[in-house]
């Protein structure tokens, strides 16, 4: 308990999946959580759940692919709370196909929804954190950014980009008291991104490939995110931690 006491945290994509799990956990650990998502219904529901558990949270309706909206999100949080301690750039949406079959519009979409917006989140958070000489940025990458996975072309490209961005920020901003890490989830079913378990063949293949032989849960990723965002990780920056049941160890 209290591992994030009095921290002010923005979690993008906090309305569902991993972002929601992190929002609930961060609030339980004492943070005030700003759930930033373009799904207002689910976002407000997540905030209601946090408040029902005596946590502090508010919902911000934002499409993080729109730069001006990300800028005002960060500025409004700083205007209200005086600072931003944690920026968790978790939102993401992807259109996946092998590259030769991928329409250029889908490539552009994936770059915008998975990489461009992470740059916006980092940029506006860094501007505020620099003023305080303190801050933690966590970006959601993927095992697709670390190893080749069939059919994951655009996702692989954007998430490898997120990893590069993360390391570069760690180097530039470490001397200014700001840490930046990435979490690289493996396959996490039951989220909006992956849908249900109806694609049996893929599910079986993923289970086979994971030494721990169980499906990943949003909460598994949230626990790693909590550690990386807490002061317990105060000497860790520029790292990518895979939360993948051992998939990338094979
Ligand atoms: N589920 C997996 O297997 C898996 C694996 C590796 C990485 N990831 C990454 O994890 C992150 C979280 O995904 P998830 O699995 O929890 O999926 P999810 O679809 O359940 O959650 C994503 C959330 O982000 C929100 N969102 C998406 N685009 C947005 C935008 N432009 N503006 C505001 N909100 C937006 C959605 O409304 C949703 O609430 C993503 O970055 C995804 O690429 C997922």
């Amino acid at each position: 308990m209290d591992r994030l006491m009095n921290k002010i945290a923005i979690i993008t994509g906090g309305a569902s999946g991993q972002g929601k799990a992190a929002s609930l956990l961060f609030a339980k650990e004492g943070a005030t959580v700003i759930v930033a998502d373009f799904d207002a219904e689910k976002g407000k529901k997540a905030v209601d759940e946090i408040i029902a558990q005596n946590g502090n949270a508010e919902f911000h309706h934002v499409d993080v692919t729109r730069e001006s909206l990300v800028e005002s999100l960060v500025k409004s949080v700083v205007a209200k709370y005086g600072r931003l301690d944690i920026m968790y750039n978790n939102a993401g949406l992807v259109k996946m196909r092998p590259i030769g079959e991928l329409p250029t519009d889908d490539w552009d979409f994936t770059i915008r929804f998975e990489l461009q917006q992470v740059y916006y989140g980092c940029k506006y958070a860094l501007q505020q954190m620099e003023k305080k000489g303190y801050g933690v940025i966590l970006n959601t990458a993927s095992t697709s950014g670390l190893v080749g996975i069939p059919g994951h072309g655009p996702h692989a490209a954007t998430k490898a980009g997120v990893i590069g961005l993360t390391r570069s920020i760690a180097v530039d901003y470490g001397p200014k008291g700001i840490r930046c890490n990435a979490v690289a989830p493996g396959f996490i079913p039951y989220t909006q991104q992956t849908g249900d378990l109806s694609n049996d063949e893929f599910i079986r293949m993923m289970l086979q490939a994971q030494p721990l032989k169980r499906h990943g849960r949003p909460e598994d990723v949230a626990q790693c995110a909590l550690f990386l965002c807490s002061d317990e990780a105060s000497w860790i920056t520029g790292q990518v931690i895979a939360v993948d049941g051992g998939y990338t160890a094979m």
Side-chain angles (χ1 to χ4, degrees):
M1 289 287 278
D2 299 348
R3 291 161 76 187
L4 298 179
M5 190 46 84
N6 298 326
K7 302 288 190 204
I8 310 298
I10 294 176
I11 301 182
T12 72
S16 82
Q18 298 164 46
K20 181 179 176 189
S23 296
L24 288 163
L25 184 61
F26 282 26
K28 208 165 136 197
E29 294 289 341
T32 294
V33 177
I34 292 87
V35 173
D37 205 293
F38 61 12
D39 187 329
E41 199 185 324
K42 286 196 173 156
K44 286 178 187 159
K45 226 171 124 205
V47 166
D48 288 347
E49 272 183 55
I50 292 171
I51 291 168
Q53 293 171 13
N54 295 319
N56 295 318
E58 60 181 81
F59 176 68
H60 278 235
H61 193 208
V62 57
D63 175 351
V64 292
T65 65
R66 295 181 56 194
E67 181 169 6
S68 61
L69 298 187
V70 177
E71 181 178 12
S72 31
L73 163 71
V74 172
K75 284 188 171 162
S76 69
V77 168
V78 172
K80 181 166 178 184
Y81 296 102
R83 65 188 195 284
L84 173 63
D85 299 307
I86 296 166
M87 183 77 190
Y88 183 3
N89 295 301
N90 158 79
L93 256 188
V94 62
K95 296 196 177 179
M96 277 198 284
R97 276 201 224 168
I99 291 296
E101 302 160 23
L102 186 78
T104 303
D105 282 352
D106 288 2
W107 169 265
D108 291 343
F109 176 96
T110 305
I111 296 287
R112 198 154 58 88
F113 275 77
E114 291 218 315
L115 181 58
Q116 184 89 7
Q117 52 95 357
V118 177
Y119 151 69
Y120 298 148
C122 291
K123 174 178 172 179
Y124 291 107
L126 285 165
Q127 290 176 2
Q128 299 299 330
M129 290 171 174
E130 223 180 331
K131 292 181 198 163
K132 300 283 175 193
Y134 175 86
V136 181
I137 293 177
L138 181 64
N139 295 324
T140 300
S142 168
T143 47
S144 305
L146 294 169
V147 295
I149 299 179
H152 277 223
H155 195 48
T158 54
K159 295 302 192 179
V162 167
I163 291 168
L165 184 66
T166 299
R167 291 187 177 130
S168 162
I169 289 170
V171 170
D172 283 340
Y173 290 87
K176 298 173 181 178
I178 300 165
R179 297 190 295 111
C180 184
N181 291 295
V183 65
F187 178 59
I188 315 284
Y190 296 117
T191 64
Q192 277 181 193
Q193 281 237 336
T194 50
D196 60 21
L197 294 178
S198 52
N199 188 351
D200 285 343
E201 198 189 324
F202 185 67
I203 300 300
R204 261 198 306 278
M205 188 267 281
M206 290 311 292
L207 261 188
Q208 268 305 320
Q210 289 163 185
L212 289 179
K213 303 295 175 208
R214 74 158 169 84
H215 290 305
R217 298 178 292 240
E219 291 74 16
D220 294 318
V221 182
Q223 288 291 347
C224 181
L226 168 63
F227 169 66
L228 288 171
C229 290
S230 76
D231 289 341
E232 290 158 31
S234 64
W235 212 46
I236 299 177
T237 196
Q239 301 307 305
V240 186
I241 312 284
V243 181
D244 65 351
Y247 180 81
T248 48
M250 300 272 277

